């Protein structure tokens, strides 16, 4: 492939090209480094060899003429300029607002404005109190490392976020138990096992903390929260020692009255101990699954068709369960969505022709272009055949 005639998505400075080139291992460089840096590079080469090394670059929708079905700007507050305008207006309404923190909040970094915002947030969600942290990841770390007490048991959905897992690892809880994703029967069985094996919990002297999410980011499915709460009430009666902690990151702004979340939609404000809301994203993500070897073929096809999505691979999802994350936004119009659907159907037809050997092609047309460029650049991976 003549680089002068290459597709714009494969130009030397394009996002796709930089991401793929970033996966190239560096054994020659690694051997010349001091021990400390050599060990780091060898660990990174393991990720590069598996095509799971992440390169920090702007995404294709930011640098090219493709439609954004990838970012977490679900309500399009950023794309529309609404968020910027409201931020500047709020700053003008509060001319004495201090931009710098002045120190940690426990010492010199607390201000009346922050306390006022926390009260407003709590009132909006129908909660007793609110606490602002740096991010949803930070919030989950704080909740799960600080709240569980020795002798408590954490019962969590199998697909809770990595930040929840990190927080649970730091907790003082005696045991961490997983139940099958969104499976009420599995949840019930786990509670039966806990009550049978933990006498202090059965006596009401220790607690069970349940970790779930309102909307799961990878597959976009909703937690059967009401059913889980009903089962917990049925089995624990009036013991008062089972509580729910729900991550509402992907429901904020979309589900419930004025986007207050799933708990508010179900009227369970008094039933849920802790809710984690984030303000950098909202519900609207869903997963497009395909066979493992076809994941990148579909990714390339959609990108070349003008639609930016995101490939999700292990370790974010289980081995051989890779999928594309597709996020719908408020400013995606009917034409955008219809075009995306048509592009997926066109890809399915192309795959069908390959599998039935109708055309004699071994890969899709978009993948063929990418692999020809990769071969020229001495690269491998990404489903290359």
């Amino acid at each position: 492939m003549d680089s002068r005639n290459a597709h714009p998505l494969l130009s030397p400075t394009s996002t796709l090209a930089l991401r793929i080139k970033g996966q190239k291992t560096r054994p020659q460089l690694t051997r010349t480094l001091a021990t400390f840096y050599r060990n780091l590079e060898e660990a990174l080469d393991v990720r590069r060899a598996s095509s799971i090394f992440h390169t920090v670059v702007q995404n294709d929708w930011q640098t090219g003429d493709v439609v954004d079905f990838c970012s977490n700007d679900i309500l399009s507050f950023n794309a529309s300029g609404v968020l910027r305008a409201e931020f500047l207006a709020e700053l003008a309404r509060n001319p004495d607002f201090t931009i710098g923190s002045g120190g940690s909040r426990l010492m010199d970094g607390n201000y009346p404005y922050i306390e006022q915002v926390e009260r407003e947030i709590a009132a909006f969600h129908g909660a007793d109190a609110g606490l602002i942290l740096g991010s949803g990841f930070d919030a989950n770390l704080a909740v799960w490392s600080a709240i569980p007490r020795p002798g408590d048991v954490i019962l969590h959905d199998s697909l809770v976020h990595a930040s929840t897992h990190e927080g649970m690892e730091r907790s003082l809880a005696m045991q961490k138990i997983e139940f099958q994703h969104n499976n009420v029967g599995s949840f019930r069985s786990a509670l039966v096992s806990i009550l049978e094996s933990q006498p202090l919990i059965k006596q009401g002297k220790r607690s069970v903390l349940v970790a779930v999410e309102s909307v799961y980011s990878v597959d976009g499915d909703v937690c059967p929260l009401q059913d889980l709460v009903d089962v917990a009430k049925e089995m624990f009666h009036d013991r008062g020692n089972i509580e729910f902690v729900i991550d509402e990151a992907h429901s904020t702004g979309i589900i419930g009255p004025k986007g207050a979340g799933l708990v508010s939609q179900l009227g369970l404000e008094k039933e849920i101990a802790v809710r984690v809301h984030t303000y950098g994203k909202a519900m609207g993500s869903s997963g497009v699954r395909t066979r493992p070897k076809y994941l990148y073929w579909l990714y390339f096809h959609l990108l070349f068709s003008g639609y930016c999505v995101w490939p999700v691979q292990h370790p974010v999802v289980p081995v051989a369960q890779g999928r594309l994350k597709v996020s719908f936004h408020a400013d995606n119009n009917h034409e955008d969505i219809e075009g995306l659907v048509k592009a997926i159907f066109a890809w399915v037809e192309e795959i069908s022709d390959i599998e039935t050997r109708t055309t004699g092609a071994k890969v899709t047309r978009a993948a063929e272009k990418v692999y020809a460029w990769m071969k020229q650049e001495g690269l491998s991976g990404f489903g290359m055949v």
Side-chain angles (χ1 to χ4, degrees):
M1 175 186 289
D2 188 339
S3 60
R4 293 171 298 180
N5 299 319
H7 192 282
L9 288 171
L10 295 172
S11 66
T13 59
S14 71
T15 298
L16 181 61
L18 291 173
R19 281 206 176 113
I20 294 177
K21 284 182 177 180
Q23 309 300 324
K24 189 172 184 178
T25 58
R26 308 172 183 179
Q28 298 299 327
L29 169 65
T30 300
R31 284 195 287 268
T32 65
L33 296 175
T35 301
F36 174 76
Y37 296 102
R38 183 175 68 249
N39 290 343
L40 290 178
E41 282 296 332
E42 286 175 349
L44 293 176
D45 270 349
V46 171
R47 299 184 68 85
R48 293 183 183 111
S50 302
S51 300
I52 57 173
F53 177 81
H54 291 289
T55 304
V56 181
V57 293
Q58 285 189 298
N59 214 330
D60 297 278
W61 64 268
Q62 297 171 296
T63 59
D65 187 22
V66 294
V67 181
D68 176 19
F69 281 107
C70 178
S71 77
N72 281 325
D73 186 22
I74 305 301
L75 297 178
S76 299
F77 285 166
N78 185 53
S80 66
V82 169
L83 185 62
R84 176 183 174 83
E86 182 55 31
F87 171 77
L88 294 175
E90 179 71 3
L91 201 59
R93 289 191 290 268
N94 297 271
D96 297 328
F97 178 76
T98 302
I99 299 296
S101 68
S104 74
R105 193 168 176 191
L106 293 175
M107 296 179 64
D108 308 302
N110 191 42
Y111 300 97
Y113 183 87
I114 298 175
E115 295 182 357
Q116 175 189 337
V117 172
E118 287 176 336
R119 288 192 294 269
E120 291 176 356
I121 290 173
F124 176 73
H125 294 289
D128 293 334
L131 180 66
I132 297 174
L133 289 95
S135 68
F137 203 105
D138 289 345
N140 276 329
L141 286 181
V143 166
W144 291 107
S145 61
I147 291 179
R149 300 292 84 205
D152 288 348
V153 173
I154 298 174
L155 178 58
H156 65 91
D157 187 287
S158 61
L159 293 188
V160 292
H161 193 263
S163 57
T164 298
H165 282 284
E166 289 204 22
M168 291 190 298
E169 288 300 316
R170 303 180 186 186
S171 79
L172 298 176
M174 171 181 59
Q175 192 176 12
K176 292 173 283 292
I177 299 174
E178 176 182 291
F179 67 93
Q180 295 173 18
H181 175 57
N182 276 355
N183 189 315
V184 179
S186 176
F187 177 72
R188 180 188 292 274
S189 297
L191 289 181
V192 169
S193 176
I194 292 170
L195 288 171
E196 290 177 347
S197 62
Q198 304 298 334
L200 291 180
I201 288 177
K202 189 172 183 178
Q203 295 166 20
K205 296 179 179 180
R206 295 293 183 271
S207 298
V208 175
L209 301 177
V210 181
V212 293
E213 299 181 13
S214 54
V215 177
Y216 290 85
S217 59
V218 175
D219 288 338
D221 48 353
V222 179
C223 173
L225 184 60
Q226 183 68 69
D227 293 338
L228 298 180
V229 169
D230 290 344
V231 170
K233 284 183 176 181
E234 172 194 334
M235 298 188 64
F236 277 69
H237 306 294
D238 297 323
R239 291 189 182 92
N241 64 329
I242 182 168
E243 295 291 349
F244 285 76
V245 177
I246 181 167
D247 185 341
E248 294 243 44
H250 289 273
S251 65
T252 305
I254 298 294
I255 292 180
K258 296 183 179 180
L262 180 64
V263 172
S264 294
Q265 181 186 50
L266 297 174
L268 295 174
E269 292 91 341
K270 302 300 181 183
E271 308 291 340
I272 306 301
V274 179
R275 284 173 274 168
V276 175
H277 287 272
T278 65
Y279 298 95
K281 61 187 73 170
M283 191 278 288
S285 302
S286 59
V288 177
R289 292 196 188 189
T290 181
R291 297 179 188 176
K293 70 174 182 178
Y294 291 161
L295 176 69
Y296 286 107
W297 294 9
L298 178 54
Y299 171 58
F300 297 147
H301 172 83
L302 291 178
L303 198 55
F304 276 69
S305 299
Y307 303 101
C308 185
V309 296
W310 187 256
V312 182
Q313 284 277 44
H314 177 75
V316 178
V317 294
V319 175
Q321 292 188 28
R323 74 282 311 263
L324 296 180
K325 175 178 175 285
V326 182
S327 298
F328 294 92
H329 308 93
D331 65 350
N332 288 136
N333 57 38
H334 179 78
E335 182 181 350
D336 293 337
I337 297 171
E338 187 177 66
L340 175 68
V341 173
K342 286 183 177 179
I344 292 174
F345 272 100
W347 178 84
V348 170
E349 290 178 350
E350 194 173 1
I351 288 296
S352 177
D353 289 342
I354 291 172
E355 291 188 336
T356 58
R357 301 180 181 178
T358 302
T359 62
K362 294 183 178 180
V363 299
T364 58
R365 288 183 290 275
E368 185 177 27
K369 294 177 182 177
V370 174
Y371 295 153
W373 169 81
M374 288 176 63
K375 185 176 181 180
Q376 177 182 292
E377 297 289 330
L379 303 169
S380 61
F382 291 86
M384 189 174 183
V385 295

